[in-house]
Structure formats: C-alpha cells, structure tokens
Amino acid sequence: MEHLRVFLLLAILAVACHSLKACPANCHCHGGELQHVICYSSGLTKIPKVSEQTRLVNLQKNSFPVLAPNSFKEMKGLVSLHMQYCGIREVATGAFRGLKRLVYLYLSHNDISVIGAGAFEELPELTYLYMEHNKIIDIPKGLLSPLANLFIFQLSNNKVRELKPGTFTGAKDLRWLYLSDNELTTLQPGSLDEVENLAIFHIDGNQLSTYPLAAVSKLRVVEDYKISRNPIKVIPDFAFQSFGRYMETLSMDHMGIEKFSEKAFVGVTALKSLNIEGNKLSQLPANAPISSLQNLTLANNPWHCSCQLAAVRRWIDGSRSRPDATCASPAQYRGQQLRDAGAFRGCKQPVKKSKKVEQH
C-alpha cells in the first residue's frame, strides 16, 4: 500500500513538473491547458513560446523594441494579447500573422512610430484595437483593411497630423473612434467615408483651425461628438446636420469659438448634453436646442445678456444644476450671473402651437 502511495505521489509530481515546464520562465499560468499566460514585468526580451491552446497572453512591462514578422505564429488560439509598456518602436508587416482568432489587441503606452502597411494582416476577428500613447504620425493607407470586424480603435495621444481618404478602408463596422490629443490640422474630405456608422467620435485636443464640415458630413449616427480644444472660431451652418437626430452629447469647450452660424444646429433633435465652456461666445443662434437639454455648461464666455439668450435663462431657471454663466454686457449687467440678471424681464415667451380640437 505504501508503495502505491509513493507511486501516485511521484506521478502527481511528474505531471505538475511537466505543467510547470510548459509555462514560460518567470511567468505564471492558469486555466486548463495553460489558457492564460501572465508574464507581467518578467524581464523578457523575446516573445515566449506558448501552447496553441493559450487564449490570453499578458506581456506588459517587458522589452520588445521591434515586433518582427510572425512574432506570434505559434499562438493560433490566442484571443487577447496585452503588450502595454513594452518599449515597442516598430510593428513590422505580418507581425501578428496567424492570429486568426485574436479579438483584443493592446499596444498602448509604447513608442510606436513605424507601422508596416500589412501590420494587421490575418486578423479577421480583431474587434478592439488600443494604440493610445504612442508616437504614430501617419496611419498607412490600407492598414485597417484586414480588420472587417473592428469596433473600437483607440488612437488618442499620438502625433497623427491628418486624415486622408482611404485611411479607414475596410473598417466599415468601426463604431468608436478616439483621436483625442493628436496633431491633426486636417480631416480631408472623404477621409471618413468608410466609417459612416461611427457612434462615438472624439477629435478633441487637436489643431483644427476650421470646422471639418466636408469630412464629417458623411457621418450618419454619431451619438457622442467631442471636438473640444481645437482653435476653431466659427461653427458653420449645418455643422451637425448629417447625424443631428442621433447626437446626444456635444463637447465644444475651450476652443475660442466666437460664433455659431444661424443654421449651425439645423437637424439637431436629440441633444441632451452641450458643453460650450471657455469660448468667446456672446450669443447663441435662435435654433440652438436649449429647451430639450439635460446638461448645459456655459461658464467663461462673454455673454451679452439680452432677450436673445432668454431660452438659456429659462433653461437655467428650470434646472437644478444652477450652471455658472456671467454677463459681460450690457454694462449695467456686467459681472452678474445670467440666472440673476434683470435683462430678461419682459422677454416674450415662445408661443406654443396648439392643435385645434374640432367639436361635433
């Protein structure tokens, strides 16, 4: 009996040793067939070998300056790959070749400046691509072509200077696009044609000096639109018309906007939140959809307190949030809160159209 116990113990130890050997050095693995391989901050300089059954590999905080072609070809079952903070400078053509089941790819917080045009070939299932906080200047034409299932593309905090036609060719299902805090000066007409179904579009913190009307007029269903911190002085007529019946959140703070054209808000019918803080606005156009808003941020603008802003005053009076907004003119109201100023006494209430009820 004792011999049998020793034999069983040795057998268990042998299996355990085999399992340990299968996990890369300095990493830890868990899940059946070592499905999750965690090599967080393990001092690696070469991509480790893992089994085809592996579903998740976490390589964060190691050192891989260049992702060469076929770097992951043995990882055929991989679904999620984490490579944040790995000092990556270059992603070569075919770097991820063979990862036909990959859904999540995290390349954030690296030094990527060079991307081969075919870097993402053979990634038919890739849905979530995170590349924020890198040094990417240009998105090569056709880069996203293999990514027919791409849903989220996070490219904030890079150095992208312009969007050109063909940038998003193939990514027809892209819904969330983040381009905040780049160096964009131009969105060329046609540059967003292939991604007309964007629901979230953030281009705040760039260097756009004129509103990109031609480029965004092909967007159809944007719900969350953020263009804050771009030096645009005038918002033109029909700025949001193509997606106005879907847009719920509009962020245009800290831009130096001096004027919304009279027809700027044509077609905007679903807006719930508007942030226009930190501009040079004295008035808003008559068709600004103030009454339907749930949130309105107005501070740090030189408002001219007159009946033209009566709709804003009515909104403030009916709001619990008591937003900050100060009159800059006329002189007798300068420095007063818009919610307290007497400038709106005598302003006419809008006439509501009532349906006539016929009596029989």
Side-chain angles (χ1 to χ4, degrees), residues 22 24 29 34 37 39 48-54 57 74-75 78:
C29 304
L34 308 179
V37 177
C39 304
K49 294 190 183 308
V50 302
S51 76
E52 287 190 15
Q53 283 72 39
T54 302
V57 172
E74 306 300 328
M75 305 184 189
L78 204 61

Side-chain angles (χ1 to χ4, degrees), residues 3 59 167 184 187-188 218 242 292 296 299 307:
H3 289 299
L59 299 172
T167 298
L184 287 166
L187 306 189
Q188 289 188 15
K218 293 293 164 55
S242 65
S292 62
L296 176 60
C307 288

